[in-house]
Amino acid sequence: MIHPHGRRVAAVASVVVVGALALSACSGSTDGGSADSSADTLTLAMSQDIEGFDPRVQPGYQNWPADAVWDKLVKCDSTAGLEEDIAESWDLLPENKGMTAHLREGVKFSDGTDLTADDIKASYDYMAEPESARAADYASMTVTVVDPLTVTLEWAEPQPLVNTLLCDINITSADYLESGDFLDEPLGSGPYVIDMDKTTVGSEYVYTKNEDHWNADHYTKSNLVVKVLDNESAMVSALKTGQVAGGLVSDQARAEAESSGLEIKDFEGQTVRLLLTDHEGVKYPALGDLRVRQAINMVFDKQAIADSIYLGNAEPTAQTFRKGSDAYIEDLEDPYPFDVDAAKALMTEAGYADGFDIELPSLDGNLDHIMPYVIEQLGAINIRATEKVLSGANAIEDLLSGTYPVVLFELGNLGDSTFQIYVEDSTDGWWNLSDQSDDFVMSRYNQLATAAPEDVPAIEQEINQHIIDEAWQAPLVYKGTHFAYDADQLSIPTDSDIEALAPKLRDFQ
């Protein structure tokens, strides 16, 4: 059964899109201020603000305020493997239908009340409410409280994405949810407690360590400050002057940050690609011909893109999945090497020597660095592309509406490649912009719901190879984000972000 993620579109897509935009933002300058620079305080900078304190409206992208306040039933590592958190052990249900979780004793919320299985149930039930953007994910889930420290979460049907769904929920108090106060101030059992007297919403979030947290020894700083710096210049200045210990910088600012003595942790969580989702040729008949899609793949000099456009902070690729994920194919030779003459021959063979016209959408010009090159190279095979800049509150919805079946984007390559297959290639995936189904992909994706773990990589690599053979996308380069930090104040020995965009709070030491 295909898992229904339709109502998750805006919530998840906006994290990827807004995150990419924030890194290059040049508006809304926020003064860096003066951080508490004591050795016992960790001060971080976010390039975008959070959207409030609702536990079900929290992005994963650089959301250290959420990491600070809330624990989860279980956590996911960078590839969606399960790790303990409130649950110290669990038993997975057959056919990927859920788990029975055994909670650790003595966990308390920051108001001193005990955390029990009733709070787990309330937190998951809250996600399933009709007004939730995630309601479809949890609509068929039944949460059963076995005893105060044992809870069973079970879906009616097998879930290919069971781990991601289990570890994706911020746990708060059932009583607090019922009171409605959680929208004004967050309550959790996490490693830090927010200090609302010192916090200025939209500018600076201040926390003190929860010494009673089950994993308190892991968090070495007694205080946490998270500043919102949505201006690139302000971010770099705050990093260079020591007002913040770490924050994300753009490709253009990376060298400046490094030359000032900051360490750089590079991530590779995005694949720059053209999505060619109209492979049935409904809006653009030419795209229904495999040879045209192959020709599009062959007109781009990927090494030049990596070296010149991304300043050496990228790597050519022939596939969209992240290295090390289950779907990634080792030692894959690029089946569509850069060859404009061969691309022209394919266009002629397909009957499209004269080309055709397409629109390429972008969000407020955030692809200015690469869009001109893409348009120029498509023009070499007489595909006349015109950029359509989308802006305003509905820009993301417009991008994902299906109006534009060909999209150039720096789209995430998820550590959970099962999730990426769903998002991009399944019938209901929101980046399958034309909603065009494929029997091969869907048959293999459905197998993943009940497949043994050892069988998953082979199935996913079959899907990946099929996508490559059918040229549904034109992958260009792997790229990512750059986290600049003061090595005298912190280290980052682990990687926990499934999106590979920024460290999680638990990664800092």
Side-chain angles (χ1 to χ4, degrees):
M1 178 181 178
I2 301 306
H3 196 69
H5 277 263
R7 293 190 64 186
R8 198 178 181 191
V9 172
V12 177
S14 63
V15 174
V16 179
V17 174
V18 175
L21 290 174
L23 291 177
S24 58
C26 294
S27 61
S29 177
T30 303
D31 185 2
S34 58
D36 181 347
S37 59
S38 72
D40 214 21
T41 297
L42 173 61
T43 303
L44 302 171
M46 298 188 297
S47 59
Q48 67 183 67
D49 194 12
I50 61 174
E51 297 180 31
F53 297 131
D54 188 336
R56 71 183 177 197
V57 187
Q58 297 295 319
Y61 177 69
Q62 59 174 346
N63 193 356
W64 303 302
D67 292 347
V69 169
W70 290 294
D71 284 329
K72 301 180 188 297
L73 177 62
V74 287
K75 281 186 168 70
C76 275
D77 64 17
S78 61
T79 60
L82 297 181
E83 298 179 341
E84 64 179 298
D85 200 349
I86 295 170
E88 60 183 353
S89 64
W90 53 85
D91 302 302
L92 297 177
L93 303 182
E95 296 188 314
N96 289 331
K97 288 187 176 181
M99 70 161 51
T100 294
H102 309 286
L103 314 186
R104 62 181 73 249
E105 293 188 48
V107 177
K108 293 182 180 293
F109 291 110
S110 57
D111 65 356
T113 59
D114 292 328
L115 189 157
T116 71
D118 288 328
D119 301 303
I120 304 297
K121 175 175 171 56
S123 296
Y124 279 86
D125 286 348
Y126 181 58
M127 296 300 295
E129 292 180 356
E131 59 268 31
S132 169
R134 303 288 306 282
D137 289 341
Y138 300 95
S140 72
M141 172 188 273
T142 300
V143 184
T144 303
V145 173
V146 179
D147 61 48
L149 294 178
T150 309
V151 61
T152 296
L153 305 96
E154 183 172 10
W155 279 272
E157 301 289 342
Q159 302 297 310
L161 304 174
V162 63
N163 282 12
T164 297
L165 295 175
L166 286 168
C167 72
D168 215 15
I169 305 302
N170 297 311
I171 303 301
T172 191
S173 160
D175 290 340
Y176 205 57
L177 280 173
E178 186 175 353
S179 73
D181 294 338
F182 65 92
L183 295 176
D184 302 316
E185 179 177 348
L187 175 70
S189 60
Y192 289 89
V193 180
I194 194 167
D195 186 335
M196 291 301 295
D197 291 335
K198 296 181 179 179
T199 289
T200 302
V201 174
S203 176
E204 182 171 286
Y205 300 85
V206 180
Y207 304 83
T208 57
K209 185 174 178 179
N210 176 8
E211 297 291 353
D212 294 325
H213 186 259
W214 72 269
N215 201 21
D217 290 345
H218 180 78
Y219 297 89
T220 58
K221 302 292 186 179
S222 296
N223 304 287
L224 171 69
V225 177
V226 183
K227 292 178 172 290
V228 181
L229 299 177
D230 60 1
N231 176 281
E232 175 81 328
S233 297
M235 175 73 77
V236 174
S237 176
L239 285 163
K240 291 170 65 175
T241 58
Q243 296 172 47
V244 298
L248 289 165
V249 296
S250 67
D251 290 340
Q252 291 71 26
R254 184 191 185 284
E256 179 184 355
E258 189 171 31
S259 66
S260 70
L262 294 165
E263 293 290 327
I264 307 293
K265 185 172 180 63
D266 294 313
F267 293 86
E268 204 171 69
Q270 296 164 296
T271 306
V272 185
R273 82 287 287 272
L274 271 174
L275 292 95
L276 309 174
T277 67
D278 189 15
H279 43 81
E280 294 178 0
V282 175
K283 180 168 183 176
Y284 298 128
L287 290 181
D289 193 306
L290 173 61
R291 292 166 294 185
V292 172
R293 302 195 302 272
Q294 291 172 329
I296 290 172
N297 271 265
M298 297 177 72
V299 297
F300 301 111
D301 185 340
K302 298 176 183 179
Q303 191 63 58
I305 292 171
D307 294 341
S308 299
I309 296 178
Y310 288 101
L311 309 177
N313 298 310
E315 176 186 343
T317 181
Q319 55 188 312
T320 64
F321 292 95
R322 187 188 303 175
K323 288 180 287 186
S325 68
D326 285 338
Y328 181 78
I329 300 173
E330 294 283 352
D331 302 319
L332 175 71
E333 185 175 346
D334 193 340
Y336 312 116
F338 175 53
D339 190 333
V340 175
D341 289 338
K344 289 179 178 178
L346 282 171
M347 292 290 286
T348 299
E349 183 182 325
Y352 292 98
D354 293 334
F356 55 98
D357 300 318
I358 63 171
E359 284 188 310
L360 283 180
S362 66
L363 296 171
D364 277 333
N366 71 303
L367 295 170
D368 286 348
H369 56 294
I370 189 172
M371 182 68 80
Y373 172 79
V374 169
I375 291 175
E376 179 182 9
Q377 292 307 108
L378 290 175
I381 53 175
N382 293 323
I383 297 177
R384 296 169 292 277
T386 303
E387 182 178 9
K388 172 71 172 179
V389 178
L390 306 178
S391 60
N394 296 321
I396 295 167
E397 287 77 5
D398 291 343
L399 183 75
L400 299 175
S401 67
T403 302
Y404 310 99
V406 180
V407 170
L408 172 67
F409 212 76
E410 298 173 345
L411 190 58
N413 50 37
L414 301 173
D416 181 359
S417 51
T418 307
F419 196 7
Q420 184 172 334
I421 290 168
Y422 174 79
V423 167
E424 296 177 10
D425 308 303
S426 73
T427 305
D428 298 327
W430 51 88
W431 281 103
N432 179 359
L433 301 172
S434 299
D435 297 323
Q436 294 177 1
S437 187
D438 181 88
D439 290 342
F440 181 89
V441 168
M442 297 317 299
S443 67
R444 297 303 188 274
Y445 181 78
N446 286 332
Q447 288 178 23
L448 293 172
T450 55
E454 62 270 19
D455 295 332
V456 168
I459 296 171
E460 295 198 359
Q461 288 169 35
E462 278 191 278
I463 294 173
N464 186 6
Q465 188 65 60
H466 180 76
I467 293 166
I468 294 168
D469 292 343
E470 292 297 317
W472 286 358
Q473 302 194 38
L476 303 176
V477 294
Y478 289 130
K479 73 167 294 288
T481 50
H482 315 292
F483 188 84
Y485 65 98
D486 181 351
D488 291 333
Q489 295 192 54
L490 59 89
S491 63
I492 313 172
T494 58
D495 293 308
S496 300
D497 185 14
I498 200 167
E499 295 179 311
L501 293 174
K504 293 291 190 183
L505 188 62
R506 68 184 188 270
D507 294 324
F508 295 120
Q509 288 294 300

